[in-house]
Amino acid sequence: MKQEDLDFFKALLTERLNELLSHADTTVTGMTQPKENFADPTDRASHEADRSFELRIRDREHKLIKKVKKALERIENGTFGQCEMCEEDISIQRLKARPVTTQCIKCKTREENMEKALGI
């Protein structure tokens, strides 16, 4: 992969990481504020459902943060853009669509078909 492509993906991933970390800080701040008192149980239930939904989103973002950090490590150690399964190059189009990917489209499709067949 060309150096200019690596620089592009490094900047893209770094920006995404900073965004995700900013969201995480906001969530922590919001969760540590004093509890509100709700006179109506329905309001309380709605608030708890919203909080639960936000926590699920943040959990998914936490997993994405790990993937972004690993992708940045792959850029540093020279393995970014190389499929972990077949060791072929991953297309630039695929990396632009999903920069944290570790598999080329052929291997990922094969893996998904296998999971589908096994019912996973």
Side-chain angles (χ1 to χ4, degrees):
M1 184 176 292
K2 293 185 246 173
Q3 186 60 44
E4 66 187 51
D5 291 331
L6 289 172
D7 293 342
F8 168 80
F9 286 112
K10 185 173 184 176
L12 180 74
L13 289 164
T14 301
E15 181 181 329
R16 184 69 176 132
L17 180 62
N18 290 335
E19 254 178 57
L20 291 166
L21 291 173
S22 171
H23 287 185
D25 289 343
T26 303
T27 300
V28 170
T29 303
M31 293 291 177
T32 57
Q33 291 176 350
K35 291 191 175 196
E36 298 177 36
N37 289 327
F38 295 99
D40 184 17
T42 307
D43 289 341
R44 182 177 230 355
S46 178
H47 178 74
E48 291 299 324
D50 290 347
R51 181 174 268 189
S52 176
F53 181 69
E54 185 174 350
L55 287 173
R56 282 196 316 254
I57 289 171
R58 295 304 169 246
D59 183 52
R60 290 182 66 148
E61 287 179 346
H62 177 70
K63 291 174 184 173
L64 183 55
I65 286 170
K66 288 180 182 180
K67 289 180 181 181
V68 169
K69 286 180 178 179
K70 286 181 182 179
L72 288 168
E73 286 175 16
R74 288 193 303 276
I75 288 173
E76 294 302 317
N77 69 26
T79 60
F80 182 80
Q82 185 178 22
C83 179
E84 289 182 346
M85 302 295 284
C86 68
E87 298 183 2
E88 294 292 321
D89 288 340
I90 300 171
S91 71
I92 296 292
Q93 294 87 353
R94 175 151 171 76
L95 288 168
K96 283 183 178 178
R98 181 126 175 102
V100 296
T101 191
T102 59
Q103 295 177 333
C104 66
I105 196 68
K106 279 185 192 177
C107 291
K108 185 62 177 173
T109 302
R110 191 176 321 126
E111 180 183 82
E112 287 175 353
N113 289 337
M114 184 66 76
E115 288 175 355
K116 194 178 205 180
L118 295 173
I120 298 175

